[in-house]
Every structure is written in structure tokens, then in C-alpha cells.
Amino acid sequence: MEAAKSERESYWDAKTFAFITDKTKPAMKWAISELKNRGKNVYVVDLSDSPEPGSLKSVSDLPVGIDHFVIGITKTEPADLIPALKGKGVKKIWFHWKTETEKALDACKSLDLECMTEHCPMLYLGGDISIHGVHRAIAKMTGKY
């Protein structure tokens, strides 16, 4: 019998995601690519100095109703985006490993938003035969998955 999926594993079962990046976390690009390869709808808000072609430039450009967001920014305070995300209908925010701030977590709590922290999306999305698969195996063995 297969073990039940954890909340972190189930997060990636959604059909549509929005990513907010400033290109300081390379795994964000890999996660976006992996989800697109899996046939998911992925919107990307690129806040970097040189946004990727086809990406959105602002949270205000996102459609309403996306409830699974991944934030991986380090150049600006992620908490500043939380009210706008709530206005777009967000319910769950995954903060990429080491991008959450106390202010961002407080904003999520005050707006009654679910948030996940302390993990890289690729720990859950990467293939078994990759650096991410090795990382996943170590995380499982150490109880940090």
C-alpha cells in the first residue's frame, strides 16, 4: 500500500501555478520548467532587471483565481506582494527555501493565507536520478522531507 502524500507533495497536484521570481534562485526556473513539462498552467512574474520574454512584470498582471503561488525573491521584501496576491485570490503560498521573511510570514498570517517554508520546490519536483533526487533521499532519511 502506497503511503499517503504529504501536504508538500500534494501542493504540486494543482493545475495552475504562479511563480514570482527575481532570478536569484536558480531552482525557480527549473521548477517552472518541470511544471510546464507536466502540462501545468504556469504564470511567471519576473521582477528581475531583465525579465524573460513572455513573463509578466507585475502581480497586477496575473489573472484572478490562481491559488497556488511560489515566491522566490531576495532583492525585495516578499511581504510587500502579499496583499496584492490576496486580492488575486491566492490561498496558498510556497516560499522558496530561504526567501521567506518574518514580515512576509506575518502578512500571510494576518490575511489568513496558508504558507509553506524551508523547502526548495525541486525537492518534490526533481527526478529520482538527479541532484534533487539525491537531496530528496537524504531529506527522507533525516526526517526533513
Side-chain angles (χ1 to χ4, degrees):
M1 181 194 240
E2 190 173 317
K5 281 185 175 181
S6 71
E7 183 180 9
R8 291 185 193 283
E9 291 169 311
S10 297
Y11 191 83
W12 306 106
D13 292 341
K15 300 269 185 225
T16 304
F17 296 86
F19 280 72
I20 303 173
T21 183
D22 59 12
K23 295 184 180 173
T24 58
K25 291 293 200 175
M28 291 284 283
K29 185 175 183 175
W30 301 331
I32 291 164
S33 178
E34 180 60 31
L35 288 170
K36 286 180 177 180
N37 288 341
R38 292 180 183 191
K40 306 290 184 168
N41 298 320
V42 182
Y43 294 90
V44 179
V45 177
D46 188 342
L47 303 178
S48 72
D49 293 334
S50 57
E52 292 292 322
S55 65
L56 305 173
K57 311 300 183 273
S58 168
V59 169
S60 64
D61 296 333
L62 287 164
V64 173
I66 302 169
D67 71 350
H68 283 67
F69 278 77
V70 181
I71 299 176
I73 57 175
T74 61
K75 292 180 180 179
T76 58
E77 172 58 60
D80 296 342
L81 303 173
I82 304 301
L85 293 176
K86 176 74 174 183
K88 289 291 185 173
V90 68
K91 296 177 186 158
K92 299 177 183 181
I93 298 174
W94 182 298
F95 287 96
H96 188 287
W97 182 59
K98 295 194 177 204
T99 64
E100 74 276 2
T101 65
E102 192 168 323
K103 189 175 174 184
L105 297 177
D106 288 345
C108 286
K109 185 176 181 180
S110 72
L111 293 171
D112 197 31
L113 298 175
E114 252 184 80
C115 64
M116 294 186 209
T117 62
E118 302 178 0
H119 288 81
C120 171
M122 290 306 292
L123 184 64
Y124 301 89
L125 296 173
D128 288 337
I129 302 179
S130 70
I131 188 64
H132 307 294
V134 172
H135 184 201
R136 179 174 36 256
I138 292 168
K140 284 182 174 182
M141 286 187 295
T142 60
K144 295 181 180 182
Y145 183 70

